[in-house]
Amino acid sequence: MSSTRTSRTRLLAAAATVVVAGLSLTACGGGTGVHDEGAAKVSSGSELAAAGISARPTSDAGSESEPGAKTESDAKTGAGSSAVETASLTGRPAAKAPAKGTATKAKAPAAAKSVTCEGSTTKTVAAPLSRPLNHLLLTVTNTGSKNCDLYYYPAVQFGQSQSVPPAIEDSMPQAVVTLAPGESGYAAVILSAADGSGKHGYTSKSLDVYFMGRDNAGSVGKGAHPALPAKGVYVDDSVKVTYWQQKMEDAINW
């Protein structure tokens, strides 16, 4: 920048010398003496430009800005320019960061708690079926106010029998049967062999149903005592039960 000002100063000095020389020649022209040439002629901008002199006044030392340089006002307004440009391009105000302490955490819904289904919170109905043959359908309905779980299979006893029929392992569902209030679960009792191959058959007029606990270590809570037909049901030593099922058709399919 200092070299540019030095060049301009030299050009101004040269121009002044040319003007002075011109006046001297006019005064001496033809040896006839000094002539009044009138007011001093002011050089036009084109003449100055031809001489390499800018007609634009120069500013004080250090104040002339380089092309593309930012001024102090530009620096002051630069901090907020991004937000202004974003707002002008999108047509909406720039988003503001949330104030500290204002974030809230969404509460996870409380997990529904289930209890074990047993006689005091359910109603059990036993119904003999014509098809499949020798089948008794057990329907357990949740009469409580909470969800209840039917674990494993029903432990049934006919009449004075002390033994509990085994379960059909292939009927085990993929998940524990859970009953919401008012919902029902199902299990089937295969009373006797359809081909008559069972032994030690007898007619029972009473039935007790007990509910297994989660640890499969025995029955829990109260049992149920569903009514049987007046004539009773025929049972032999091939009696067995299915696991509890969510759907009736899954229970009677065995």
Side-chain angles (χ1 to χ4, degrees), residues 179-215:
L179 304 180
E183 287 187 335
S184 299
Y186 308 89
V189 183
I190 294 82
L191 298 170
S192 59
D195 59 2
S197 60
K199 299 180 179 179
H200 309 291
Y202 62 97
T203 298
S204 176
K205 293 185 178 181
S206 64
L207 171 64
D208 297 324
V209 179
Y210 297 95
F211 301 87
M212 304 296 287
R214 183 176 182 178
D215 57 3

Side-chain angles (χ1 to χ4, degrees), residues 43-79:
S43 300
S44 65
S46 58
E47 293 174 343
L48 293 176
I53 303 171
S54 174
R56 179 168 58 100
T58 57
S59 58
D60 294 337
S63 64
E64 186 172 351
S65 301
E66 293 291 334
K70 291 186 177 180
T71 63
E72 183 179 357
S73 60
D74 291 335
K76 289 182 179 179
T77 58

Side-chain angles (χ1 to χ4, degrees), residues 20-246:
V20 172
L23 291 176
S24 300
L25 291 174
T26 302
C28 300
T32 60
V34 178
H35 295 277
D36 184 7
E37 296 294 331
K41 184 179 180 182
V42 179
S43 300
S44 65
S46 58
E47 293 174 343
L48 293 176
I53 303 171
S54 174
R56 179 168 58 100
T58 57
S59 58
D60 294 337
S63 64
E64 186 172 351
S65 301
E66 293 291 334
K70 291 186 177 180
T71 63
E72 183 179 357
S73 60
D74 291 335
K76 289 182 179 179
T77 58
S81 61
S82 297
V84 174
E85 291 173 0
T86 301
S88 63
L89 290 174
T90 61
R92 60 178 181 271
K96 294 183 180 180
K100 292 183 178 180
T102 59
T104 57
K105 293 183 179 179
K107 293 183 179 180
K113 293 183 178 180
S114 297
V115 297
T116 301
C117 296
E118 44 98 3
S120 66
T121 58
T122 59
K123 179 181 179 180
T124 303
V125 175
L129 301 177
S130 58
R131 288 189 178 184
L133 291 174
N134 306 332
H135 275 59
L136 183 73
L137 178 66
L138 299 179
T139 302
V140 175
T141 303
N142 182 2
T143 58
S145 59
K146 297 180 179 180
N147 291 356
C148 73
D149 296 324
L150 286 170
Y151 291 108
Y152 305 102
Y153 50 86
V156 300
Q157 287 183 325
F158 289 95
Q160 301 301 315
S161 174
Q162 300 298 314
S163 62
V164 174
I168 303 173
E169 292 300 325
D170 288 343
S171 68
M172 181 186 298
Q174 294 183 349
V176 173
V177 175
T178 299
L179 304 180
E183 287 187 335
S184 299
Y186 308 89
V189 183
I190 294 82
L191 298 170
S192 59
D195 59 2
S197 60
K199 299 180 179 179
H200 309 291
Y202 62 97
T203 298
S204 176
K205 293 185 178 181
S206 64
L207 171 64
D208 297 324
V209 179
Y210 297 95
F211 301 87
M212 304 296 287
R214 183 176 182 178
D215 57 3
N216 198 22
S219 62
V220 296
K222 294 183 178 181
H225 311 284
L228 294 176
K231 64 179 182 178
V233 294
Y234 180 79
V235 184
D236 65 24
D237 59 3
S238 65
V239 62
K240 49 187 174 291
V241 299
T242 68
Y243 277 74
W244 291 113
Q245 308 292 330
Q246 198 80 53

